[in-house]
Amino acid sequence: QVQLVESGGGLVQPGGSLRLSCAASGVIFLIGRMGWYRQAPGKQRELVARIDSGGNTAYADSVKGRFTISRDNAKNTVYLQMNSLKPEDTAVYSCYADSRSQYWGQGTQVTVSS
């Protein structure tokens, strides 16, 4: 079993920044890819960014150049640095980890509004 705990969401003005964190615990040595999805009200869930155990990353086109995903394997934590935030980035952001199964965090709300 893997447990994921997210933190760092909140309310920010357009153009601002937030950093999300996702700390993994439990049977972590089997974790490979980790990443973030988001879901806004009335919209489908969208893969925002992912990173594999070797540090290779991928991003949704909508966040390229603004968001950066990183991973600290010593701390079993993945981060999502979000810069130049836009109102359309408003969503619940959820962290996931691929191991023998796929595990999910509880989600954290990000609201971009003036």
Side-chain angles (χ1 to χ4, degrees):
Q1 289 282 358
V2 173
Q3 295 78 42
L4 301 174
V5 178
E6 299 133 334
S7 60
L11 173 65
V12 64
Q13 292 187 340
S17 298
L18 283 174
R19 188 177 82 154
L20 305 182
S21 299
C22 174
S25 61
V27 185
I28 59 174
F29 69 95
L30 291 176
I31 292 177
R33 184 176 296 173
M34 298 183 73
W36 295 88
Y37 275 83
R38 69 185 180 186
Q39 187 163 23
K43 294 188 177 181
Q44 286 193 327
R45 189 176 64 180
E46 173 188 27
L47 177 62
V48 177
R50 57 176 171 83
I51 184 167
D52 66 20
S53 55
N56 299 300
T57 60
Y59 296 91
D61 288 342
S62 58
V63 306
K64 281 180 182 177
R66 300 188 298 122
F67 291 11
T68 302
I69 190 170
S70 61
R71 183 169 178 166
D72 185 336
N73 290 326
K75 295 183 178 180
N76 306 311
T77 299
V78 65
Y79 303 96
L80 185 68
Q81 178 66 43
M82 305 185 295
N83 298 329
S84 302
L85 282 161
K86 304 175 181 180
E88 51 263 43
D89 294 317
T90 296
V92 174
Y93 286 70
S94 298
C95 167
Y96 78 94
D98 287 334
S99 181
R100 287 178 173 167
S101 299
Q102 189 169 70
Y103 296 91
W104 290 86
Q106 79 281 3
T108 186
Q109 177 70 45
V110 171
T111 303
V112 185
S113 175
S114 54

